[in-house]
Amino acid sequence: MAERFTKSMARNIYLGGSVFFVLLFLALTLDTQLRAMPERDNREQLTEDVVRGKHLWEENNCVGCHSIMGEGAYFAPELANVFDRRGGGDTEVFKSYMKAWMNAMPTNVPGRRQMPNFNLTDEEIEDLAAFLEWTSKIDDNDWPPNIEG
Amino acid sequence: MKYESQRVAMPYFIFALILFAGQIVFGLILGLQYVVGDFLFPEIPFNVARMVHTNLLIVWLLFGFMGATYYLVPEEAQTELHSPLLAWILFWVFAAAGTLTILGYLFVDYATLADITMNKLLPTMGREFLEQPTITKIGIAVVVVAFIYNIGMTALKGRKTVVNIVLITGLLGLGGLWLFSFYNPSNLATDKYFWWFVVHLWVEGVWELIMGAILAYVLIKLTGVDREVIEKWLYVIIAMALITGIIGTGHHFFWIGPPEYWLWLGSVFSALEPLPFFMMVVFAFNMINRRRRNHPNKAALLWAMGTTVMAFLGAGVWGFLHTLAPVNWYTHGSQITAAHGHMAFYGAYVMIVLTIISYAMPIMRGRPYGNGNTAQVVEMWGFWLMTISMVFITLFLTAAGVLQVWLQRIPESGEALSFMAGQDQIAIFYWMRFVAGAFFMAGLVVYLGSFFIKGEASPAEEVRGPATADA
């Protein structure tokens, strides 16, 4: 670097640049969280069932194998749109699908990826289904590209 | 080693390397489970092995950063560490908490672990990388605060160098952002948004300050180049890191609920995120060309060059490959993400920790100019085996990812393969990745073996007049 570019100039770019972009990021965060998200994240449908379902999702570490909205592990299918894929967008169909699926685990097919049986009650499976249904309705800029996730 | 208290870095480095070995063992288990689905099922299901793999990585990198800090801050400040005793206490607390948490993952069912650690009181578990029980998270916060206190007191009473200031700024950011791990709203979209405040703003934000500071310190020591020059570079690099990386967080906001302007902001700023890594490459090679001495620790110099190149490839190039929103729409959450994650973490953070270990461990072991020739040759074999293996792991995962996108994402609904049908098609690449992983393990064994070889190097040879007094 040219000698005319001094260390204190470099330091000022660092300090000025980071302060500016931290403030910009905070402003954008406020706009995102206060203005935009209430209209996009379907929060008026966030029922007690959905909240319980999210806790079940977390306490069984579902994200350790699955992805949800593309985040998580890539060992098992995406679940943010499983309500559409397996439930056809119908709450009752999806609940019965979920019960059948969860109770059939593990398949024990030799050599195939195995999902544990988490011993959930029917009510718990319904909560989980409610959480996944709610998640499927967040406006996520039309991701994923197709139903397979 | 100029100050006796720097030696407290040693247990941190040793424990970091032990956890590193554990991380790779679980990486191999995961790699095999990708193709032999029921391997170790139900004893160690995939989610458990993955949690162990990623949490060991995070914890051992933290041990590495702490060791690096304990080693270099007193020397930079030209004073003894404020409290070596506190550093030792924190070592044992963190080591015990980390070990217990990993054992908890392995031997207690996760839902039971959540139950007995009273996750209900303050639910923070079950989110990617933040799987630790809440009590462990509190423990990490306490250890980090006490650690920063110890380091801060040391730095304040001594010489204030740019390396120290940048390093401590990075550590403060690390500690401060960790607090977001306690925020877990029941709205998944909000949860995800602030989850990135820990994950992205760590690895694509404040950790780059830590990396830059460690790299600058090692380059001052190895090349003898004037501190003024190195500090100027360091400022420019971290300026670029924060200017691009903070708004660059937006590349994670594309598909998790936030509004469409993030598609633009995230794409543009994260497309610039390779810049600081590119500058690190130019920086390291430039300083080495302008060196005032030939430091006999060639292995440390190799790590220092290697970390910049691999960080640029893994974080920079492989990040850029899928960071533009129109591309990311297809690749988000595919094996391409996994490819990028592996090489970025290895290049930027694994290798910077191994750089400072390569430089500092011999000194702490009474070999001021580095290990003897044989040990260095073996260490460099470890470097090349691990690094080339990681390149192949990344290439195979990238191939798997491209094919996955082609089969599962690009076709219309109805035409596209289901997730599992697609996985079967790309199994060959997972097998090759597993083989590359086995070579990585071999490289790690060679690397660790180099620590057991005796002998030390002779003093540095000055090449362009005496190096600065610092070096």
Side-chain angles (χ1 to χ4, degrees):
Chain A
M1 265 174 278
E3 291 309 315
R4 237 168 293 162
F5 183 69
T6 61
K7 190 171 93 179
S8 70
M9 288 159 83
R11 187 188 55 218
N12 291 341
I13 295 175
Y14 159 64
L15 291 174
S18 24
V19 168
F20 177 78
F21 283 101
V22 165
L23 292 176
L24 178 62
F25 187 62
L26 290 177
L28 289 166
T29 293
L30 282 178
D31 180 72
T32 298
Q33 291 301 328
L34 300 180
R35 187 192 57 82
M37 295 296 276
E39 296 180 1
R40 298 174 60 91
D41 63 14
N42 182 31
R43 63 182 61 180
E44 62 286 349
Q45 305 288 327
L46 214 161
T47 60
E48 289 297 307
D49 300 4
V50 175
V51 174
R52 283 197 302 272
K54 182 169 186 276
H55 286 152
L56 286 164
W57 168 269
E58 289 166 358
E59 294 189 346
N60 291 287
N61 194 28
C62 305
V63 82
C65 292
H66 293 276
S67 58
I68 187 160
M69 306 183 92
E71 295 171 358
Y74 319 123
F75 188 68
E78 163 65 35
L79 294 184
N81 66 344
V82 69
F83 173 70
D84 300 308
R85 185 167 62 244
R86 299 296 185 203
D90 183 288
T91 307
E92 291 311 312
V93 173
F94 184 55
K95 279 182 183 167
S96 15
Y97 171 80
M98 281 286 287
K99 284 177 200 163
W101 178 270
M102 299 296 288
N103 291 325
M105 296 295 115
T107 62
N108 288 320
V109 178
R112 299 294 292 177
R113 296 183 192 175
Q114 296 296 314
M115 174 166 161
N117 192 308
F118 294 98
N119 303 311
L120 302 183
T121 63
D122 276 4
E123 290 73 35
E124 288 175 322
I125 295 175
E126 291 192 6
D127 290 341
L128 201 51
F131 167 66
L132 292 172
E133 179 180 342
W134 176 82
T135 301
S136 77
K137 292 174 181 163
I138 298 172
D139 181 350
D140 56 4
N141 293 329
D142 288 328
W143 194 85
N146 65 39
I147 195 76
E148 299 303 341
Chain B
M1 200 176 65
K2 292 173 176 135
Y3 299 91
E4 189 52 35
S5 52
Q6 288 176 274
R7 202 181 294 280
V8 77
M10 187 115 100
Y12 283 84
F13 288 152
I14 293 172
F15 198 68
L17 292 177
I18 293 170
L19 298 185
F20 181 25
Q23 186 212 344
I24 303 312
V25 168
F26 280 86
L28 288 174
I29 292 174
L30 293 165
L32 202 52
Q33 285 177 333
Y34 253 95
V35 274
V36 184
D38 56 355
F39 178 65
L40 289 182
F41 187 86
E43 290 75 22
I44 307 181
F46 182 90
N47 71 309
V48 172
R50 183 177 194 266
M51 212 161 39
V52 174
H53 179 66
T54 57
N55 283 225
L56 279 175
L57 170 70
I58 297 164
V59 172
W60 88 256
L61 291 179
L62 291 179
F63 268 100
F65 291 163
M66 288 181 181
T69 307
Y70 284 127
Y71 185 83
L72 73 82
V73 167
E75 190 165 313
E76 286 285 294
Q78 297 182 329
T79 174
E80 293 286 352
L81 183 67
H82 174 67
S83 168
L85 175 66
L86 179 59
W88 269 102
I89 294 171
L90 293 177
F91 169 77
W92 285 111
V93 170
F94 197 25
T99 309
L100 279 174
T101 302
I102 299 295
L103 293 178
Y105 291 160
L106 282 171
F107 296 108
V108 184
D109 168 68
Y110 192 73
T112 313
L113 188 66
D115 198 37
I116 57 181
T117 58
M118 294 179 285
N119 188 53
K120 285 259 185 308
L121 291 180
L122 176 60
T124 67
M125 292 173 73
R127 296 174 299 154
E128 193 185 9
F129 311 129
L130 303 183
E131 295 93 347
Q132 311 81 27
T134 304
I135 181 81
T136 305
K137 289 196 180 81
I138 296 172
I140 293 174
V142 169
V143 167
V144 169
V145 167
F147 160 71
I148 291 175
Y149 162 78
N150 203 2
I151 290 303
M153 292 302 280
T154 312
L156 283 175
K157 74 176 172 185
R159 183 176 65 150
K160 280 129 195 109
T161 69
V162 176
V163 168
N164 268 1
I165 293 169
V166 172
L167 179 63
I168 292 169
T169 310
L171 294 169
L172 283 169
L174 182 155
L177 292 164
W178 177 246
L179 297 178
F180 284 98
S181 74
F182 294 96
Y183 181 57
N184 181 18
S186 34
N187 181 333
L188 181 73
T190 324
D191 168 12
K192 281 175 173 291
Y193 188 93
F194 289 103
W195 179 84
W196 284 114
F197 277 45
V198 188
V199 177
H200 173 95
L201 293 177
W202 266 21
V203 300
E204 294 170 65
V206 294
W207 283 26
E208 287 183 46
L209 268 58
I210 297 171
M211 178 189 177
I214 298 175
L215 182 66
Y217 170 80
V218 171
L219 287 175
I220 289 172
K221 297 294 159 184
L222 291 179
T223 66
V225 169
D226 189 38
R227 172 182 290 277
E228 284 294 308
V229 179
I230 287 185
E231 289 174 341
K232 185 161 71 181
W233 273 95
L234 178 57
Y235 270 133
V236 176
I237 288 168
I238 60 170
M240 291 316 295
L242 295 183
I243 287 169
T244 62
I246 293 173
I247 305 297
T249 316
H251 66 172
H252 301 294
F253 296 159
F254 295 165
W255 326 116
I256 60 170
E260 283 166 24
Y261 57 72
W262 285 111
L263 297 175
W264 287 99
L265 287 170
S267 296
V268 170
F269 279 87
S270 67
L272 298 172
E273 278 187 52
L275 272 179
F277 290 107
F278 181 71
M279 293 186 69
M280 282 198 217
V281 178
V282 178
F283 170 49
F285 283 78
N286 229 311
M287 293 308 105
I288 290 164
N289 275 336
R290 292 164 65 172
R291 69 189 180 277
R292 304 179 73 87
R293 63 163 28 157
N294 281 328
H295 199 284
N297 193 340
K298 302 275 184 254
L301 203 64
L302 180 64
W303 283 111
M305 289 188 278
T307 189
T308 64
V309 173
M310 294 301 290
F312 172 64
L313 287 177
V317 177
W318 252 261
F320 178 75
L321 281 181
H322 60 139
T323 204
L324 299 176
V327 177
N328 194 258
W329 194 59
Y330 289 108
T331 60
H332 177 54
S334 71
Q335 292 298 325
I336 294 183
T337 319
H340 159 62
H342 279 81
M343 200 196 252
F345 260 99
Y346 176 73
Y349 300 121
V350 170
M351 289 179 82
I352 193 65
V353 170
L354 299 187
T355 301
I356 184 77
I357 288 180
S358 182
Y359 172 74
M361 271 300 257
I363 300 175
M364 289 189 285
R365 297 174 74 196
R367 303 166 183 179
Y369 299 98
N371 293 320
N373 193 45
T374 318
Q376 285 199 40
V377 169
V378 174
E379 184 181 345
M380 289 195 259
W381 268 92
F383 169 95
W384 286 111
L385 270 169
M386 286 194 282
T387 303
I388 293 171
S389 302
M390 185 51 80
V391 168
F392 278 100
I393 288 173
T394 306
L395 290 174
F396 293 142
L397 285 176
T398 306
V402 169
L403 215 56
Q404 181 186 15
V405 167
W406 181 258
L407 297 170
Q408 180 200 323
R409 291 272 172 82
I410 291 183
E412 297 288 319
S413 299
E415 314 261 306
L417 286 192
S418 73
F419 176 86
M420 278 313 299
Q423 294 295 299
D424 288 339
Q425 297 294 316
I426 58 184
I428 179 73
F429 291 108
Y430 290 142
W431 275 114
M432 293 198 283
R433 183 269 298 266
F434 178 74
V435 173
F439 274 96
F440 190 99
M441 183 84 221
L444 177 60
V445 169
V446 170
Y447 168 77
L448 293 176
S450 75
F451 285 85
F452 297 93
I453 300 169
K454 290 189 169 58
E456 64 174 300
S458 26
E461 163 204 343
E462 307 298 324
V463 288
R464 270 176 222 165
T468 53
D470 277 328

